Structures are given as C-alpha cells and as structure tokens.
Amino acid sequence: MDCLMKCSKDSTYRILKKYIPILSWLPDYSVEDFKGDFIAGFTVGLTVVPQGLALAQLANLPPQYGLYTAFMGSFMYAIFGTCKDLVIGPTSVMALMTAQYAQIGGPAYAALLAFLSGCFQLLLGIFNLGILMDFISAPVLSGFTSAAAIITATMQLKGIFGLKYESRGFINTVYYFFQNIPHTNLYDMCMGITSIIFLLLLRKFKDQKCICCTYMKGCNALQGLWWTLATARNALLVIICSGFASACLAFEKDFFSLTQRVDAGIPPFQIPQFSFEHFDPESNSTIYKNCGEVLK
C-alpha cells in the first residue's frame, strides 16, 4: 500500500513538473545562477523600458501598456516556460498586428485580442498542433519577417525625426513622412542618428579586443569591462540619453520630444470586454459591436 502511494506521488510530481517546469529547476537554483540572472535581468530591464514604450506607440496604445506586456509575460513564463533562451515580451510584429485593432477601439480591443490569442495558443498546445509550423515554408516566413521589419522601420521614422502625424498603413506612413519632413526636429534627429551609430559601433566592437589590452599585460579586468559595455550597449545608451534629456529639462531646455507622463499602477485584473459601444461622428450615433464584429 505504501509503495502504491509513493508511486502515485512520484507520478503526480512528474506530471506537475511537466506542466509547471519551475518545479524542476528551482530546487537546484544556486547563488551563482542568481548572480548571472540578476545582471541579465538588470540589463534587459533597462532596455525593455524604452522598447516597451516605443512598441506601445507602434501599436497605437498608451505608453504604459508597453510596460505591462514587458513584465507580465516574463512572470508567467518563469513558472510555465520550458525554454530558457526564449524572448518573452512585446515585439514589433505583435505591435503591428495589434495596431489595426487598437486604432479603432483602443486598449479594450487590444485586451480582447490578447485574450483570444492566448486561448488559441493554449488549444494549440493542448492538442500538440505545433507540427502545423512544419507546413509553413521558409520563403513565407522570410517574406513575413522582412515585411514586418520594413514596416516597423518606416513607422519609427517619425520618432527619429521628431515628427507628429497620424497614419495608417505603409504607403500612408511614407506619404505623411515626406509631407512633414520640413517640420523635422533637428535635436531629435541628431539624437536618433547618433544612437543608431553608437549601437552599431558597439555591436561591431563587442568581439574586438580592447586597444589598451594590446599594449598592456594583465589587464583582464579592462577587457572584461570593455566586453560588458559592448554587450550592455542598449542599457548604456538608455542611461546616457535619459540623463541627457533630464539635464535639458532641469535647465528648462525643451529640445527633445519626450514620452511625457506615463500613468502609474497596474490596471485591475478582469475578464476583457466582449461587447463594445462607441460614438460614430459620421452617423452621429452610438454603435454597438460584439466580439465577432470586432474581429472581422
């Protein structure tokens, strides 16, 4: 009887570890693991804040929603994730696909889209339908990612040049960009282009040996510092640019286009709306839509 109970407990624990992987690695988690994770988390955290703000703008959402998506997914994946090398958080493709709905219904539409997408992915996992990815050809994936990269870069041009305009679609964005070029903010443009050059240079120099280390012996610490700065280039750039912008504000110099105020706190946890109403100025009436009509 005791043997059966022990086997039953072992079987239950194996099933739990299969679906809650944190039970597998957490008991063996060491201080050394924590040190590495802390450095990585600190670096990624400094990077993901401006990235989340930028992607929220790309998705036509208030900036705080980029921060929500940056950390909520990571918390959940730490418990249920199975791959330690997977990137969890907002991406440009996700932002682009959300933008067309958020532009119509705002955060409520985006929340419903995220909920339904999660339900769909859960069903794919339950029925082991990941094999469907094998039927998507490489040219299709390559074309999709290339198009997403081009659209993302195009939509970020107005931020780099300090322009303010509303647009929908690739052609529309390009048209309004060239139309508004005379209103370019030179300070924004200089900071944007300088930041791109800075990142590209540090990326190139990451695997290069420090010049000082070539002529000096026993300078492993200096080489380590060089590698760390090059690896953490995104976080380093965020710190430099944020400090520079803060200094300008301290001296009441409004040179740059800033994010302005970001609402604090976390919205209440609740089931997303499945029906919506909004005022249509063209018909001068209130329009009601259900979930199916929203996703058409």
Side-chain angles (χ1 to χ4, degrees):
M1 187 68 178
D2 292 339
C3 182
L4 288 175
M5 291 182 63
K6 184 178 180 181
C7 291
S8 177
K9 289 181 179 179
D10 292 342
S11 177
T12 302
Y13 188 62
R14 281 197 300 270
I15 294 174
L16 286 175
K17 287 198 297 184
K18 179 180 178 181
Y19 292 102
I20 309 178
I22 192 174
L23 298 176
S24 300
W25 57 263
L26 188 60
D28 300 323
Y29 197 71
S30 64
V31 176
E32 292 299 320
D33 293 330
F34 174 77
K35 290 180 181 178
D37 288 344
F38 178 80
I39 295 173
F42 180 75
T43 304
V44 173
L46 288 176
T47 304
V48 81
V49 170
Q51 176 182 307
L53 296 175
L55 291 177
Q57 183 183 23
L58 186 63
N60 293 316
L61 290 170
Q64 63 269 21
Y65 283 87
L67 302 180
Y68 299 154
T69 56
F71 72 86
M72 284 304 299
S74 301
F75 279 139
M76 299 304 296
Y77 196 80
I79 300 173
F80 299 103
T82 57
C83 178
K84 66 182 181 64
D85 300 315
L86 189 65
V87 177
I88 298 296
T91 63
S92 56
V93 174
M94 185 191 306
L96 286 173
M97 298 183 72
T98 305
Q100 58 181 323
Y101 294 100
Q103 193 164 20
I104 301 172
Y109 275 30
L112 177 61
L113 179 64
F115 177 77
L116 295 177
S117 299
C119 292
F120 182 70
Q121 290 183 344
L122 180 62
L123 291 175
L124 290 178
I126 292 174
F127 294 105
N128 293 320
L129 295 178
I131 193 174
L132 294 176
M133 291 297 297
D134 295 337
F135 296 97
I136 301 178
S137 63
V140 172
L141 292 175
S142 178
F144 177 78
T145 53
S146 298
I150 293 172
I151 294 173
T152 302
T154 303
M155 296 187 72
Q156 293 302 313
L157 286 175
K158 71 175 183 179
I160 294 177
F161 286 82
L163 303 175
K164 298 183 184 299
Y165 57 83
E166 297 294 331
S167 61
R168 297 184 65 177
F170 176 74
I171 302 298
N172 191 254
T173 301
V174 173
Y175 171 77
Y176 279 109
F177 169 71
F178 285 106
Q179 187 182 55
N180 287 272
I181 274 187
H183 306 294
T184 297
N185 185 327
L186 294 179
Y187 297 103
D188 285 344
M189 185 183 71
C190 290
M191 176 172 279
I193 294 176
T194 303
S195 299
I196 293 173
I197 295 173
F198 178 83
L199 291 174
L200 291 176
L201 287 176
L202 283 187
R203 180 181 179 182
K204 183 176 180 61
F205 293 155
K206 184 182 72 169
D207 298 323
Q208 302 294 325
K209 194 171 183 179
C210 179
I211 298 176
C212 297
C213 297
T214 306
Y215 302 100
M216 297 172 58
K217 295 182 179 180
C219 57
N220 292 332
L222 187 60
Q223 179 64 34
L225 178 62
W226 174 264
W227 182 87
T228 302
L229 291 177
T231 303
R233 55 189 178 274
N234 293 340
L236 181 63
L237 180 64
V238 170
I239 294 173
I240 293 173
C241 292
S242 299
F244 189 65
S246 298
C248 291
L249 285 178
F251 288 99
E252 298 182 352
K253 302 295 183 181
D254 191 15
F255 293 140
F256 305 103
S257 302
L258 303 178
T259 307
Q260 303 302 331
R261 185 179 182 276
V262 178
D263 291 341
I266 299 176
F269 290 89
Q270 58 186 8
I271 299 296
Q273 294 178 248
F274 288 90
S275 60
F276 304 89
E277 61 178 61
H278 63 88
F279 181 76
D280 183 15
E282 294 183 0
S283 60
N284 196 28
S285 61
T286 301
I287 297 178
Y288 297 89
K289 289 186 177 182
N290 57 32
C291 176
E293 293 173 323
V294 168
L295 298 177
K296 282 183 180 179

